[in-house]
Amino acid sequence: MARTPLMARGPALLLALAAPAAAQAQSCRLPATIASPAPVVPDGPVRQIPIADYTLALSWSPAFCRSHGPDPREALQCSGRFGFILHGLWPEGRGRDWPQWCPTRLRPDPATVRRHLCMTPSPDLIAHEWARHGSCMSRTPQAYFGAAARLWRQVRLPDMTALATRRALTAGDLRRAFVALNPGLTTRSIRLLTGRDGTLREVHLCLSRARRYAACPAGRDGPADATALTIAAP
């Protein structure tokens, strides 16, 4: 399921470690003007199929920013203020397909984009997530991002600085760090996405149709617990 998309430096910005994900918003400083999202061009077919469950996808910004290089449209996410950001809330189908690109004429308005930039700090990504995923599960962008924000605020993030410097870190170590902080979450509910070199790219939390933590589909949870893992330092 290849769906592509920041720990703050300084005492005032070390707020997301072992704290609710929403705590990062306290270190987020939005620019006075926000660039309008670029037009979204579908990169796949329309699939209007029933929703079986969901994925809450978290992107690790230090890895994302290093792999994408300088890009003015990613300036906020790559400003050094963020660790994990919310890539998106994705509806899933049964089997290996998922709903996507459902027809809609709606787009996130400027107020909605600004309201959620400290969660998903890219206007382009916000527009893309609505067009590809949100259009298949909510009537409006406001309802979609509101649901995503409620789930995001519940997630507690481990101390990624400590994990990044740990020797012989494994995928299981990261899963257990998330489980220790999030009631109801199990290691089976965590899918990890890594690069070819074993560097963490994303953490996906698998959710039931009722949007509670649930086991990820068999064979789709990423590297085994014993697999060596590298975390790009914040």
Side-chain angles (χ1 to χ4, degrees):
M1 194 186 316
R3 285 180 265 197
T4 314
L6 323 177
M7 191 71 57
R9 293 177 176 84
L13 301 179
L14 296 177
L15 298 173
L17 300 178
Q24 275 193 131
Q26 299 179 40
S27 66
C28 176
R29 298 291 183 268
L30 297 181
T33 58
I34 305 295
S36 298
V40 178
V41 179
D43 58 1
V46 171
R47 281 201 295 264
Q48 293 178 275
I49 60 177
I51 298 172
D53 43 37
Y54 297 90
T55 295
L56 192 70
L58 284 57
S59 177
W60 181 236
S61 293
F64 171 83
C65 296
R66 291 180 190 183
S67 65
H68 282 69
D71 184 337
R73 301 197 72 87
E74 310 296 347
L76 179 59
Q77 181 176 357
C78 297
S79 63
R81 296 189 176 97
F82 296 89
F84 280 111
I85 60 117
L86 183 66
H87 184 161
L89 173 61
W90 302 338
E92 305 287 356
R94 299 195 182 279
R96 302 194 71 85
D97 282 338
W98 58 85
Q100 65 173 16
W101 301 117
C102 295
T104 180
R105 294 183 179 180
L106 298 178
R107 299 179 62 186
D109 59 67
T112 299
V113 172
R114 175 173 281 275
R115 185 178 305 118
H116 297 290
L117 272 177
C118 289
M119 173 179 76
T120 302
S122 165
D124 287 355
L125 181 55
I126 286 175
H128 178 274
E129 292 302 292
W130 159 251
R132 185 173 187 182
H133 304 294
S135 61
C136 295
M137 57 174 279
S138 297
R139 292 186 177 182
T140 65
Q142 294 90 334
Y144 170 65
F145 290 109
R150 286 190 291 274
L151 292 167
W152 169 246
R153 286 194 295 265
Q154 295 173 13
V155 179
R156 297 182 70 86
L157 303 173
D159 185 338
M160 296 296 284
T161 299
L163 289 169
T165 58
R166 185 185 297 186
R167 292 186 178 182
L169 183 72
T170 67
D173 292 332
L174 179 59
R175 288 189 176 100
R176 288 186 288 272
F178 267 90
V179 167
L181 294 170
N182 292 277
L185 185 65
T186 71
T187 57
R188 296 182 60 201
S189 302
I190 302 172
R191 176 189 302 121
L192 302 182
L193 268 63
T194 61
R196 292 181 180 179
D197 60 354
T199 297
L200 177 72
R201 292 172 51 212
E202 299 204 348
V203 173
H204 294 177
L205 306 181
C206 298
L207 308 174
S208 68
R209 200 172 190 282
R211 300 179 190 170
R212 296 186 176 92
Y213 295 128
C216 298
R220 294 169 60 190
D221 51 1
D225 281 349
T227 305
L229 182 70
T230 300
I231 296 174

